[in-house]
Amino acid sequence: MTDPRLAELIRLIPALKLSVEAGDLEHHGRDWTRRWTPAPLAVAWPASIDEVQGVVRWASAHGVGIVPSGGRTGLSGGAVAAQGELVLSLDRMNRVLGFDPIDRTLTVEPGIALEAVQNAAREHALLYPVNFAARGSCQIGGNIATNAGGIRVIRYGNTRQWVAGLKVVTGTGELLDLNRGLVKNASGYDLRHLVIGSEGTLGIVVEATLTLTSPPPPSQVMLLAVPAMDALMKVFAEARHRLALEAFEFFTERALHHVLAHGAQRPFAEDHPFYVVTEFDAGDEKAEAEALDFFEFCLGEGWVTDGVIASSEAQAASLWRLREGITESLAPHKPYKNDVSVRISAVPAFMEEMHALLSAEYPAFDVVWFGHIGDGNLHINVLKPAELDNGVFVEQCEHVTSLLVETLARHGGSISAEHGIGLVKKPWLGSVRSEAEIALMRGIKAVWDPNGIMNPGKLL
Amino acid sequence: MTDPRLAELIRLIPALKLSVEAGDLEHHGRDWTRRWTPAPLAVAWPASIDEVQGVVRWASAHGVGIVPSGGRTGLSGGAVAAQGELVLSLDRMNRVLGFDPIDRTLTVEPGIALEAVQNAAREHALLYPVNFAARGSCQIGGNIATNAGGIRVIRYGNTRQWVAGLKVVTGTGELLDLNRGLVKNASGYDLRHLVIGSEGTLGIVVEATLTLTSPPPPSQVMLLAVPAMDALMKVFAEARHRLALEAFEFFTERALHHVLAHGAQRPFAEDHPFYVVTEFDAGDEKAEAEALDFFEFCLGEGWVTDGVIASSEAQAASLWRLREGITESLAPHKPYKNDVSVRISAVPAFMEEMHALLSAEYPAFDVVWFGHIGDGNLHINVLKPAELDNGVFVEQCEHVTSLLVETLARHGGSISAEHGIGLVKKPWLGSVRSEAEIALMRGIKAVWDPNGIMNPGKLL
């Protein structure tokens, strides 16, 4: 550690776990994006809030940028460290600190995996309802920093809704203890909600108190084959009207193709342009009959051409794998990811326009659609042809993003539904937030982080 | 209008409805608190967002404070204009602007009454679930500015949870269009959530897009007589475990006394120290049987000594009136209002300590307890003895508040659960928010409102 700044850091916090090993820098300097070359100054693994505060004060004094680092499963480059920043990994702060059966809250350190939070809730016969495919490796601190959504938003909302208290270290090293688990607290600006979704640019989440809820009633999982794009939202409207939905996801035959290539089983004898996987409450025979009625109605309308209801937990899991396996199955193809949202009511018109745009602009590319259509959130992944240079590919995709942004603006949509802005979407922040909003964000950032050390260059 | 600043305002916005009549100044210069003498410069009733922006730009140029004014049912002095401010009343901006059946959103102007929002939702067979006694006169803009809670928080959360989009005019007259009704939008700081609960100190809400939900299943209302304070939370825990709660409220015999004096009927033959009114899903015989089991269990444990289940909607309404009529019945006694919260788990210990404190400090005063005990939110109203001077009374009460604040701090509570800080709780803001948090709030306020014209002197 010949860097004099690191020597000073070691002097200040002798117990701090710190590395400048090439492998650690490489590994911890990137997230699931693969566009930037990791080049952090070092990686630090504080073990306590005190150590986090010490590192931040050191960084503030020396003008060193800090990249807070969780499971690094992000898709927007929010956890990339390519500019000599210090990576502050929360890996060692991963404990459950407490559970209160009356408050129904779980207090955790930020480095705990989402799945570990879900499991801890289950041990107390309760549910932490945020859920998505990266649950095994993503960390709750990162979930909070991006206000993670996922596959149950339609029932339970985003991460924001489940955070009853937050401890946060600001850019000056101050420790804030926000809301402290209160259900009701009308005492000025709710800074907790400002931190949620701020992508590490205001401070570092060092502890969270999460609200748990009762487990849902027994549910059923249904997979539907849908013959045409314009039928998707009709099926959704009907499902929402008739069933108590927990999830409503769609994907295309192209998406299924990649999941099958990754080892899954084709669910129907034939190909279909679109698929829906939906989960809904089905605690009794009446609910099951309603599900069947719903299916038959959609079949009769021609909105659905085939379907299957899972008859066991194992089958339900295998139907879910068709949807949840998509991201992983696409990863080897270095996909360019669009994560867009519009109001639910705007989905049909937006999808048609977007489909026309992408067909015209990407005639030769493999374009894979899927997503949380019941929340107005579409994921469109453009796969890199193997022979194409990555730089050229990204450039071509970004050109199309510029066109896409115009379509989105016409429909009042967002260039980032749930992945965040990070580095990847930064050129288009102005398409979803006005100049006045961005100026306010910059002003707020300057108040929280006057030396600009918190995840510099991300988002703003 | 001899004030040259007002002459200039008229010149700038000739169509603006404006008054300096003594009756208007008196009426619009105060909220439900009665501690300050109204003394606004004038009252303006803009009819459009353009006019609001014009007024704010004028105020910013002339350094005139603006007090945004809704139904003025607030209990913290947040809408008081006693320092020559311009009252900006939203009374004329009270229309429903749109409804979308797919998004299930209602877009409204800020001056619409909460009850009118509820009714508009009902016309579409949907529910706007925030509810409390002032529904007929409070306005949605004020609900948003205070993140209003009320009697259904236990099921539906606060106002925050139902705001999908906000248009806001900042202290510089900029119009922000925040989140635009999107379910998912991870594009930087969620300024919408910063505005919600900011008590008019950052900007003026000029339009809101509200999320609606499905109406709840049929429900039952039950009134319980509870013999002792320490049984209240036991009854709550049992009710939450066995029933699908929509509301769980408590009040004391002293509270009932005032409601009865106001014209209600005593519900049981005898007096009881405490009462609980609870509402829960009861769509079928099974649910009704569970409610009866719950009641009999509590009776057997000695936690409950009497009870009644409403057998008609009229009876349900009359049971609810016992709880909802409290605030109105106390108003003539000029109550000093404490609106405190602790974590739900801390309620029993906190109540005991608080009861001991108040018994010692207010031996001669009539102290009335009620509130949303299932959210950890207690309202403690101290009634002014008729013969006591109001100034002396408030001084004595504020002395006790200082003691109360220490008890609250020990239990991690808040001096303002849902009324807001306004003017009334400002001396104790530092008891619930740290110096670092208050400094951040001031910094944020300066970014949004650099000339300090938005509801000056409130909250901060």
Side-chain angles (χ1 to χ4, degrees), chain A residues 102-103 180 240 341 345 412, chain B residues 102-103 180 184 240 345 412:
Chain A
I102 305 293
D103 293 326
R180 294 174 275 108
R240 184 169 65 169
S341 64
S345 58
Chain B
I102 306 293
D103 293 326
R180 294 174 276 106
K184 282 173 146 185
R240 185 169 66 167
S345 57

Side-chain angles (χ1 to χ4, degrees), chain A residues 100-105 107 146-147 149-151 153 158 160-161 170 174-194 196-199 201-202 209 214 233 236-237 240 339 341-346 372 374-377 379 408 411-421 429 431-434 436-445 447-448 459-460, chain B residues 100-105 107 146-147 149-151 153 158 160-161 170 174-194 196-199 201-202 209 214 233 236-237 240 339 341-346 372 374-377 379 408 411-421 429 431-434 436-445 447-448 459-460:
Chain A
D100 191 298
I102 305 293
D103 293 326
R104 303 214 285 192
T105 53
T107 298
T146 56
N147 186 26
I151 56 179
V153 171
N158 282 39
R160 179 181 302 288
Q161 207 164 313
T170 69
E174 290 272 8
L175 176 64
L176 308 178
D177 188 2
L178 301 173
N179 201 59
R180 294 174 275 108
L182 296 170
V183 177
K184 282 173 145 186
N185 180 17
S187 61
Y189 312 159
D190 198 326
L191 303 181
R192 166 184 51 151
H193 284 292
L194 191 59
I196 298 169
S198 66
E199 302 188 22
T201 62
L202 298 178
T209 295
S214 302
M233 289 306 281
F236 169 66
R240 184 169 65 169
D339 159 43
S341 64
V342 290
R343 288 168 75 131
I344 305 164
S345 58
H372 322 287
D375 311 315
N377 179 191
H379 294 295
L408 269 172
H411 292 279
S414 174
I415 190 70
S416 168
E418 60 177 359
H419 293 173
I421 299 295
L429 179 61
S431 75
V432 59
R433 307 296 294 264
S434 70
E437 284 179 69
I438 294 171
L440 290 174
M441 287 199 265
R442 286 188 193 284
I444 291 167
K445 159 92 174 162
V447 170
W448 284 66
L459 174 54
L460 289 167
Chain B
D100 191 298
I102 306 293
D103 293 326
R104 302 215 285 192
T105 53
T107 299
T146 56
N147 187 26
I151 56 178
V153 171
N158 282 37
R160 181 182 302 287
Q161 206 164 313
T170 68
E174 289 272 7
L175 176 64
L176 309 178
D177 188 0
L178 301 173
N179 200 59
R180 294 174 276 106
L182 296 170
V183 177
K184 282 173 146 185
N185 180 18
S187 60
Y189 311 158
D190 198 327
L191 303 181
R192 167 183 51 149
H193 284 292
L194 190 59
I196 298 169
S198 66
E199 303 190 22
T201 62
L202 297 177
T209 295
S214 301
M233 290 306 282
F236 169 67
R240 185 169 66 167
D339 159 42
S341 64
V342 291
R343 287 169 75 132
I344 306 165
S345 57
H372 321 288
D375 310 317
N377 178 190
H379 294 295
L408 269 171
H411 292 280
S414 173
I415 190 69
S416 168
E418 60 177 2
H419 293 173
I421 298 295
L429 179 61
S431 76
V432 57
R433 307 297 293 265
S434 70
E437 285 181 68
I438 294 171
L440 290 174
M441 288 200 264
R442 286 189 194 282
I444 290 167
K445 159 94 172 161
V447 170
W448 285 67
L459 173 56
L460 289 169

Side-chain angles (χ1 to χ4, degrees), chain B residues 326-327 330-331 335-339 358 362 366-370 379-383 393 419:
Chain B
I326 297 171
T327 296
L330 299 182
Y336 181 89
K337 288 176 175 289
N338 295 287
D339 159 42
L358 298 181
Y362 289 137
D366 188 3
V367 180
V368 175
W369 296 55
F370 58 98
H379 294 295
I380 300 112
N381 282 226
V382 186
L383 307 194
F393 172 67
H419 293 173

Side-chain angles (χ1 to χ4, degrees), chain A residues 149-445:
Chain A
I151 56 179
R152 308 278 157 162
V153 171
I154 203 171
R155 165 77 59 95
Y156 296 107
N158 282 39
T159 298
R160 179 181 302 288
Q161 207 164 313
W162 303 94
V163 178
L166 270 190
K167 288 189 182 169
V168 179
V169 174
T170 69
T172 59
E174 290 272 8
L175 176 64
L176 308 178
D177 188 2
L178 301 173
N179 201 59
R180 294 174 275 108
L182 296 170
V183 177
K184 282 173 145 186
N185 180 17
S187 61
Y189 312 159
D190 198 326
L191 303 181
R192 166 184 51 151
H193 284 292
L194 191 59
V195 170
I196 298 169
S198 66
E199 302 188 22
T201 62
L202 298 178
I204 302 166
V205 172
V206 292
E207 190 181 302
T209 295
L210 306 168
T211 305
L212 308 179
T213 188
S214 302
S219 63
Q220 281 196 320
V221 176
M222 186 188 274
L223 182 77
L224 301 170
V226 178
M229 189 178 279
D230 68 356
L232 284 169
M233 289 306 281
K234 293 175 184 163
V235 175
F236 169 66
E238 204 61 32
R240 184 169 65 169
H241 180 65
R242 292 171 179 252
L243 309 173
L245 292 178
E246 236 186 85
F248 191 93
E249 302 277 313
F250 93 108
F251 50 95
T252 58
E253 174 63 28
R254 284 310 297 167
L256 181 64
H257 163 84
H258 290 282
V259 178
L260 298 181
H262 217 70
Q265 292 294 312
R266 179 170 283 285
F268 302 119
E270 291 175 33
D271 293 7
H272 300 272
F274 300 93
Y275 301 89
V276 161
V277 59
T278 179
E279 186 160 349
F280 45 85
D281 295 349
D284 52 30
E285 282 178 20
K286 184 164 159 259
E288 286 181 22
E290 276 166 8
L292 212 59
D293 284 353
F294 154 74
F295 173 70
E296 282 169 3
F297 180 84
C298 291
L299 209 59
E301 294 289 323
W303 302 339
V304 157
T305 44
D306 206 345
V308 56
I309 296 183
S311 58
S312 67
E313 280 194 30
Q315 196 185 2
S318 80
L319 293 181
W320 262 118
R321 267 198 295 279
L322 299 177
R323 164 62 188 87
E324 291 208 289
I326 296 171
T327 296
E328 201 184 337
S329 75
L330 299 182
H333 303 281
K334 302 201 172 172
Y336 180 88
K337 289 177 174 288
N338 295 287
D339 159 43
V340 300
S341 64
V342 290
R343 288 168 75 131
I344 305 164
S345 58
V347 168
F350 173 74
M351 274 182 93
E352 287 296 341
E353 277 189 50
M354 186 146 164
H355 183 250
L357 173 72
L358 298 181
S359 304
E361 297 291 335
Y362 289 135
F365 290 177
D366 189 2
V367 179
V368 175
W369 297 53
F370 58 98
H372 322 287
I373 198 170
D375 311 315
N377 179 191
L378 311 176
H379 294 295
I380 300 113
N381 283 225
V382 186
L383 307 195
K384 193 180 81 60
E387 68 284 1
L388 194 63
D389 171 77
N390 198 41
V392 175
F393 171 67
V394 168
E395 205 172 287
Q396 290 192 14
C397 290
E398 293 199 332
H399 164 67
V400 179
T401 299
S402 301
L403 302 174
L404 177 60
V405 152
E406 291 167 30
T407 313
L408 269 172
R410 261 203 317 287
H411 292 279
S414 174
I415 190 70
S416 168
E418 60 177 359
H419 293 173
I421 299 295
L423 291 170
V424 171
K425 300 300 174 194
K426 211 174 124 179
W428 296 284
L429 179 61
S431 75
V432 59
R433 307 296 294 264
S434 70
E435 274 180 41
E437 284 179 69
I438 294 171
L440 290 174
M441 287 199 265
R442 286 188 193 284
I444 291 167
K445 159 92 174 162

Side-chain angles (χ1 to χ4, degrees), chain A residues 86-167:
Chain A
L86 182 87
V87 173
L88 190 152
S89 168
L90 282 315
D91 285 355
R92 291 176 75 201
M93 294 174 66
N94 64 351
R95 292 172 301 166
V96 173
L97 298 176
F99 167 73
D100 191 298
I102 305 293
D103 293 326
R104 303 214 285 192
T105 53
L106 194 71
T107 298
V108 297
E109 291 186 310
I112 189 171
L114 170 58
E115 192 165 51
V117 170
Q118 295 170 340
N119 291 342
R122 202 172 295 119
E123 275 173 33
H124 300 288
L126 289 168
L127 175 74
Y128 179 72
V130 178
N131 196 13
F132 46 95
R135 67 184 77 88
S137 33
C138 69
Q139 296 178 3
I140 200 75
N143 291 186
I144 291 166
T146 56
N147 186 26
I151 56 179
R152 308 278 157 162
V153 171
I154 203 171
R155 165 77 59 95
Y156 296 107
N158 282 39
T159 298
R160 179 181 302 288
Q161 207 164 313
W162 303 94
V163 178
L166 270 190
K167 288 189 182 169

